[in-house]
Structure formats: structure tokens, C-alpha cells
Amino acid sequence: MKTLIKNILTASVILNCFGSTQAQTNPDTLEKKIVLGIGGTYTPDGYGGMIKFDYLKNQKLSFGVRSHITSNIWENYTQPIDNTPGSGAPGYTATFHPGHVINVFLTSTYFLLGNNFSSKAGVYLSAGLGYQDWTMSETVIYTDPLYDHNSDFSYRTFSGMICLGGNYKLGPGKLFLDIPLGADLYERYDNSTIYKNGITSNTPSKGFGYFAGSFLAINLGYAFSL
């Protein structure tokens, strides 16, 4: 009888240790389920940085928030005088002043290859909805000074976003590269113009289906668990 009880106790200890080991190695029971990612951002019109937080729901799925803050820099250009008979127009030089693009998206992410936890490398797809603020300003000098003016214009939009990315385990965290694409779902556009003669013009508008404030970027960064 004593031998039987001893064997039962021994088996219980072994099973308990095995269960503890499984809990430690099972990705779904990991204590660290918050991932912080920080990176640099490049866009066709500027550069900046990004940050993202993800709550890891399971091996494949996570929910989170990401934000990009980048400069908005356009090249200056000159339009020569139009001497076409009957439709002539003065020439001008447009000088653009740096603006910015700031956005915040609530996201969900799914791993197409690999997973959130143990894989050495992975490929993921994210989708989200959010808000974006896009600004720019310019000074325009004409060959006819009557038309000289300064303009400030901006898009404030409710936007959708999709993002394709990949990561690779390096040290305690993972190096990631992803490409987000945002498109306006609803926008408000403002263009305030002040002419040299003091006349001010403002042309606000709003509506659905515009893409002037859309967003395309490349992010390179590093993510680690908290």
C-alpha cells in the first residue's frame, strides 16, 4: 500500500512539473503579450518615424494601434509665361514650405507565415481605421505682382489602412519591415490664400471618396515584448 501511494505521489509530481513546463513553453500562456515597435519611416514626400503597440491575442492574431509622424516636403517649381494668343497667363514660381503628415490607426494583424511568438521569421498583414492630418503651405511669386500670394492647405481625414510586412528574430526582439498604405474614406480640405493686395480667400470642402491625403510609406524598425 505504501509503495502504491508513493508511486501515485511520484507520478503526480512528474505530471505537475510537465504541466508547468508546458505552460511556460506554450505561446498562448506567455506572460508578455504586449509588443512595442519603434522605427523610421520613409515616404515619397518626406521622412520621420513610427510607433506601434500590439496585444497578442494568440499565435496568429493581434490587435493594436500604430502612428506615423513624417515631414511633408515638395519640390519648388517655376511655370514660364504663357504667350499663347488669346489665352496668355503670367509666369510664376511656387516655393513650398515643409508640412507634416500625422496619423493614428487602430489595427488588427494576422500572420500569414510564422507567428507572433516562436517563429524565427514571419510575414503579416494588418488592416485598420484611423485619423490623418496632412498639411502644406506655399508662397507663389508671379511675373505680375498682382497675383502674388501665400497659401496654407490641409486635409484632415478619416482613413483606412492596409499594411504588408515581415519580421526576423534578432536578439531579444524582432527586426521588422512593413509597407502601410492609407486611403481617405472621408475628408475635410481647407485652402486659405492671402494675396499681396490683402484679399483673403478660403475654400473649405468636405466629402467622401477623396484620395489627396492618402499615405504610402516604408517602415524599418525593431519590436520587443514588454
Side-chain angles (χ1 to χ4, degrees), residues 65-77:
V65 58
R66 69 160 57 206
S67 176
H68 308 87
I69 302 177
T70 67
S71 59
N72 200 17
I73 304 173
W74 289 6
E75 292 186 4
N76 303 333
Y77 69 88

Side-chain angles (χ1 to χ4, degrees), residues 1-221:
M1 185 67 177
K2 291 182 179 180
T3 302
L4 177 60
I5 294 174
K6 183 177 179 181
N7 290 339
I8 292 174
L9 290 175
T10 301
S12 298
V13 171
I14 293 174
L15 289 173
N16 184 62
C17 292
F18 179 76
S20 299
T21 302
Q22 286 293 93
Q24 292 175 4
T25 57
N26 184 352
D28 287 329
T29 61
L30 288 180
E31 293 182 1
K32 294 184 178 181
K33 288 195 172 186
I34 302 296
V35 173
L36 168 65
I38 300 175
T41 302
Y42 171 80
T43 76
D45 293 321
Y47 51 88
M50 62 85 64
I51 185 170
K52 63 177 180 176
F53 288 91
D54 284 290
Y55 171 74
L56 308 183
K57 179 66 175 176
N58 55 44
Q59 293 188 54
K60 291 285 190 178
L61 180 66
S62 65
F63 301 99
V65 58
R66 69 160 57 206
S67 176
H68 308 87
I69 302 177
T70 67
S71 59
N72 200 17
I73 304 173
W74 289 6
E75 292 186 4
N76 303 333
Y77 69 88
T78 298
Q79 177 69 38
I81 297 174
D82 182 359
N83 292 315
T84 304
S87 61
Y92 62 88
T93 297
T95 301
F96 291 99
H97 311 293
H100 67 254
V101 178
I102 301 173
N103 56 42
V104 179
F105 295 101
L106 297 176
T107 62
S108 60
T109 300
Y110 185 81
F111 270 78
L112 304 174
L113 298 173
N115 59 59
N116 277 322
F117 302 101
S118 58
S119 63
K120 183 71 173 178
V123 176
Y124 57 86
L125 183 67
S126 296
L129 295 173
Y131 172 82
Q132 181 163 281
D133 181 84
W134 182 105
T135 68
M136 179 60 70
S137 62
E138 65 175 346
T139 298
V140 183
I141 305 299
Y142 283 82
T143 51
D144 183 347
L146 176 66
Y147 300 102
D148 292 354
H149 64 268
N150 293 306
S151 292
D152 295 304
F153 42 102
S154 64
Y155 293 89
R156 292 175 176 82
T157 68
F158 175 65
S159 303
M161 188 272 303
I162 58 172
C163 176
L164 180 64
N167 61 15
Y168 184 82
K169 187 167 180 58
L170 184 66
K174 290 188 176 183
L175 187 70
F176 69 87
L177 173 71
D178 63 30
I179 303 175
L181 172 63
D184 307 342
L185 302 177
Y186 182 85
E187 75 171 19
R188 175 182 172 85
Y189 169 71
D190 287 284
N191 183 353
S192 177
T193 300
I194 301 176
Y195 291 91
K196 189 175 182 179
N197 58 13
I199 297 176
T200 300
S201 171
N202 188 32
T203 56
S205 66
K206 55 186 177 181
F208 292 96
Y210 295 90
F211 295 91
S214 60
F215 182 78
L216 173 65
I218 299 176
N219 299 314
L220 177 63

